[in-house]
Amino acid sequence: MSSRHPTPDQIRVDEVMSALGNPLRLAVVRVLADGGEHNCGSILDGVSKSTLTHHWRVLRDSGVIWQRPSGRENLLSLRREDLDARYPGLLDAVLAATKTDEVSER
Amino acid sequence: MSSRHPTPDQIRVDEVMSALGNPLRLAVVRVLADGGEHNCGSILDGVSKSTLTHHWRVLRDSGVIWQRPSGRENLLSLRREDLDARYPGLLDAVLAATKTDEVSER
């Protein structure tokens, strides 16, 4: 893993909240919540590469995702074990909240 | 209440996360978590009035706090019932997370 991934005890909730405080990054987290690794190019359509690179960095530096090089791309996955261990219930509450919002918007 | 307070169904989790994604605003929320109303001038020391005004606005507009005029000041309180009803477990998980971080920093 890159040295820019914080260790579990370097993760801070204000940085996690800030990383999740964006509709696009929340959408990424919802995709990654299936527990798998996803190719960074396959998660969101219609977003420029430079914009995506910024969002991956925010998610990675805050400790929300792992980013692993694979050929010319990166594989992304949610740091669910680290987040659940450090902040029990937080990620589940956030994921449930995104579903509540989705219903409100229909 | 001011019209700039969102109704419960206008609250969005990305805006709540963004509002909480700041150490100072998290500190405010921890103070207000006692359930009481607090005079806006008494919550944080050593922060300029214009900075505080910005933070109150972010917290109010995202639906995290009530802001109620009282004389020349404002009284602030946490919208715990609205947040708990809309996003069960979220606020409690965030408050617990701030305690985890506090322990890490000692």
Side-chain angles (χ1 to χ4, degrees), chain B residues 77-92:
Chain B
S77 58
L78 195 57
R79 293 182 66 173
R80 180 182 271 280
E81 281 186 28
D82 287 336
L83 291 169
D84 284 354
R86 187 166 172 86
Y87 304 131
L90 182 60
L91 196 58
D92 284 335

Side-chain angles (χ1 to χ4, degrees), chain B residues 19-75:
Chain B
L20 299 177
N22 174 278
L24 197 143
R25 291 194 294 267
L26 272 180
V28 171
V29 167
R30 288 184 69 177
V31 171
L32 299 181
D34 69 2
E37 276 192 316
H38 290 255
N39 189 301
C40 64
S42 70
I43 298 178
L44 291 171
D45 290 330
V47 182
S48 76
K49 191 166 174 172
S50 64
T51 298
L52 287 176
T53 300
H54 162 72
H55 289 304
W56 306 147
R57 193 180 63 235
V58 173
L59 288 167
R60 182 196 63 212
D61 292 357
S62 63
V64 174
I65 66 167
W66 293 120
Q67 192 179 32
R68 186 167 74 86
S70 171
R72 299 175 68 177
E73 303 272 318
N74 281 297
L75 294 176

